[in-house]
Amino acid sequence: MKKKRRSVGGLILALILIAVIVAALAIGIPYFLNFLSSNENSDSSSSDSSSSFSSSMSSDSSSSSVIDDSSSSSSSSSSSSSISSSIDSSSSTSSSVEQGFTPISYYFLDLNTYYTGDCTYIKAGDYDILIDGGARKAQGATITNFLNEHVEDKVLEYVIVTHAHQDHIAGLVGSQNASYPSGRTGVLYNFAVETLIDFPKTDATTAIYGEYLEARERLIEDGTTYLTALAALDTNNGIIELGTGLSMQILYNFYYDHEPSDSSLLDPSFSTSGFSDENDYSVAVLFSQGENHALFSGDCEEYSEKSLVDYNDLPECDLFKAGHHGSYTASSSYLLDVIKPETIVVEATVGTSEYASDANHSFPAQEAIDRFAKYTDSVYVTQVGNFDNRSYEPLNGTITVSYDSEGNQSLAFTSSSLKLKDTEWFLNNRTMPEEWRGESL
Ligand SMILES: [Ca+2]
């Protein structure tokens, strides 16, 4: 009996439940559908706003942030529409980026002067990066005018200053010139800088170094993030992601935090000081696009070059900016034997007596050339000149080394495309290394 009553009660309950469900469906489905669609809308608008938030944070509508957005929001069902819309709304480079590496171009600037100086502008995806700004204040205009044509958003995401010598910093400060909005021609007065990374150590007391400090202070007050190379190493081992398969790494140099008098710790044969303490303090940077690596070692000389090898896991480098403008004191075999460069760019006005009374030691020195020749004959130089009569002309001019989304290298020159070994200056002033005489390279 008990059992039967329970089953009758159960049947009644089941009928009531079915009736409730049917009624709920009849009333609820349109409401439920409406709820679903409004929820979808709010989802997509929230992910839209997050992508615009991240792109405004990076100050670039960079393709890398588009890719980051897609990977970070891929767990959300509405992410696919926000990815495609953000890709649609960005430039065509995004689709090529998606298929391979983010492209990178290195511009070694012809500084339009008989003075030797360093200045490399790097376009890495949508990041604008400048390493150094030589050679004298007058080159502030040359560099700023160049950057005005290349930095579309007027923001340099990174400025890296290798050391305190004027041929690396004077153009960052520039000259007084009323035709520039800031009243000065220098790069640091004409562009916003997101992050400035410079040398942890210097003995400089020069006027131009003081002016650089003023310009740096002004940027910091305007919101620029300032890091020494040593501080930059604290985050992600100095590695800064720039795009798909593309990064920049601040390298460790023993002289960031050691005195020249500590040199014997680096190598027992090293004396208390190398060729130039200030040069040895240089910030070194490695760029990597897949397996294509590019090394910038500022004016690091033999001692600090040894520390770059000993303290970092340096890869073979497709591209090397010749150490210290091609000086005989840099680009040591100890470094070259590890990086085995395939393309070498010398940023210098070659052949001048500015830094060398011995013509064989003018940039690039015979000794450096002989060491380069073991690895490559693809050596290019920005300018050629005569310091005594204050004359100069482009040699290769501004040299652009680019890597596309598949990692293929291409070279471009604003002047001659001759390799150093085929130039008139070389044939008249240097001895052809044995390796460059045959057809072996
Ligand atoms: Ca920029």
Side-chain angles (χ1 to χ4, degrees):
M1 274 299 274
K2 224 175 178 183
K3 207 176 180 181
K4 194 179 179 188
R5 238 190 14 232
R6 191 184 280 172
S7 70
V8 169
L11 187 65
I12 292 167
L13 266 177
L15 285 171
I16 291 170
L17 200 60
I18 288 166
V20 166
I21 289 171
V22 167
L25 285 176
I27 299 165
I29 283 172
Y31 176 78
F32 185 60
L33 286 176
N34 191 35
F35 170 78
L36 265 188
S37 68
S38 70
N39 203 32
E40 223 165 68
N41 285 342
S42 72
D43 256 359
S44 65
S45 68
S46 76
S47 81
D48 279 346
S49 68
S50 74
S51 69
S52 63
F53 175 70
S54 66
S55 61
S56 67
M57 283 295 282
S58 68
S59 88
D60 265 346
S61 57
S62 78
S63 52
S64 58
S65 78
V66 168
I67 298 301
D68 289 348
D69 283 346
S70 66
S71 57
S72 67
S73 61
S74 61
S75 59
S76 141
S77 64
S78 61
S79 64
S80 61
S81 65
S82 75
I83 297 167
S84 59
S85 67
S86 54
I87 286 175
D88 288 343
S89 66
S90 58
S91 69
S92 60
T93 54
S94 298
S95 51
S96 63
V97 165
E98 212 181 21
Q99 291 159 11
F101 302 118
T102 301
I104 184 166
S105 293
Y106 307 87
Y107 297 78
F108 300 88
L109 268 66
D110 175 350
L111 290 172
N112 204 26
T113 174
Y114 48 82
Y115 291 113
T116 278
D118 262 16
C119 184
T120 311
Y121 163 68
I122 299 161
K123 185 85 175 166
D126 290 312
Y127 286 85
D128 300 292
I129 302 165
L130 189 74
I131 304 181
D132 287 340
R136 297 293 187 275
K137 286 187 187 179
Q139 278 68 60
T142 307
I143 302 167
T144 290
N145 295 347
F146 176 91
L147 294 178
N148 273 331
E149 289 177 14
H150 288 80
V151 182
E152 291 168 14
D153 62 356
K154 304 293 174 211
V155 177
L156 293 164
E157 280 71 25
Y158 290 94
V159 171
I160 296 164
V161 188
T162 62
H163 64 295
H165 280 154
Q166 68 173 339
D167 58 320
H168 296 255
I169 61 173
L172 301 176
V173 171
S175 316
Q176 306 266 4
N177 187 323
S179 66
Y180 287 74
S182 61
R184 294 195 75 107
T185 61
V187 174
L188 301 186
Y189 288 92
N190 289 284
F191 292 86
V193 176
E194 278 195 0
T195 303
L196 190 152
I197 299 172
D198 73 7
F199 38 91
K201 208 162 155 50
T202 179
D203 302 324
T205 55
T206 55
I208 189 65
Y209 176 58
E211 289 183 81
Y212 164 72
L213 290 182
E214 275 176 41
R216 188 181 76 186
E217 198 53 40
R218 182 179 160 275
L219 286 177
I220 293 168
E221 283 168 14
D222 286 349
T224 294
T225 300
Y226 166 62
L227 298 168
T228 67
L230 211 48
L233 288 170
D234 287 342
T235 304
N236 199 24
N237 198 29
I239 298 170
I240 296 162
E241 299 296 337
L242 301 172
T244 305
L246 183 67
S247 65
M248 151 173 103
Q249 181 175 19
I250 305 297
L251 300 176
Y252 175 72
N253 171 358
F254 175 83
Y255 294 96
Y256 290 163
D257 55 355
H258 288 85
E259 298 297 326
S261 57
D262 296 329
S263 294
S264 64
L265 297 175
L266 189 57
D267 189 306
S269 73
F270 285 176
S271 61
T272 54
S273 195
F275 293 105
S276 160
D277 296 345
E278 205 66 38
N279 287 345
D280 275 328
Y281 299 152
S282 289
V283 178
V285 193
L286 179 75
F287 288 82
S288 300
Q289 187 220 43
E291 294 302 310
N292 292 323
H293 305 282
L295 178 64
F296 292 78
S297 54
D299 280 359
C300 279
E301 313 258 29
E302 182 187 359
Y303 286 15
S304 43
E305 283 183 347
K306 182 171 192 301
S307 95
L308 296 181
V309 171
D310 290 356
Y311 287 88
N312 300 277
D313 188 17
L314 291 182
E316 293 185 6
C317 291
D318 196 70
L319 176 63
F320 175 51
K321 193 188 79 65
H324 190 193
H325 317 280
S327 168
Y328 76 102
T329 59
S331 305
S332 57
S333 295
Y334 195 82
L335 175 67
L336 296 184
D337 285 348
V338 171
I339 65 169
K340 298 179 169 58
E342 291 179 25
T343 303
I344 296 175
V345 174
V346 179
E347 286 205 279
T349 303
V350 306
T352 78
S353 59
E354 183 185 6
Y355 293 105
S357 50
D358 173 357
N360 278 321
H361 283 168
S362 68
F363 301 143
Q366 183 70 49
E367 294 94 324
I369 289 167
D370 290 342
R371 292 192 291 266
F372 296 158
K374 294 194 172 80
Y375 301 98
T376 185
D377 67 354
S378 295
V379 180
Y380 301 94
V381 173
T382 49
Q383 299 136 240
V384 60
N386 184 319
F387 198 68
D388 299 321
N389 64 20
R390 303 292 197 251
S391 66
Y392 89 98
E393 55 188 302
L395 207 158
N396 296 118
T398 293
I399 299 160
T400 309
V401 184
S402 297
Y403 296 86
D404 67 14
S405 61
E406 291 173 347
N408 299 314
Q409 187 202 64
S410 60
L411 300 173
F413 310 94
T414 55
S415 187
S416 160
S417 60
L418 290 177
K419 292 177 175 176
L420 176 65
K421 71 182 179 72
D422 298 320
T423 64
E424 195 183 335
W425 176 82
F426 182 87
L427 297 172
N428 290 334
N429 293 281
R430 291 292 180 260
T431 304
M432 190 72 77
E434 200 178 323
E435 293 88 342
W436 289 357
R437 286 180 194 152
E439 298 296 317
S440 58
L441 285 168

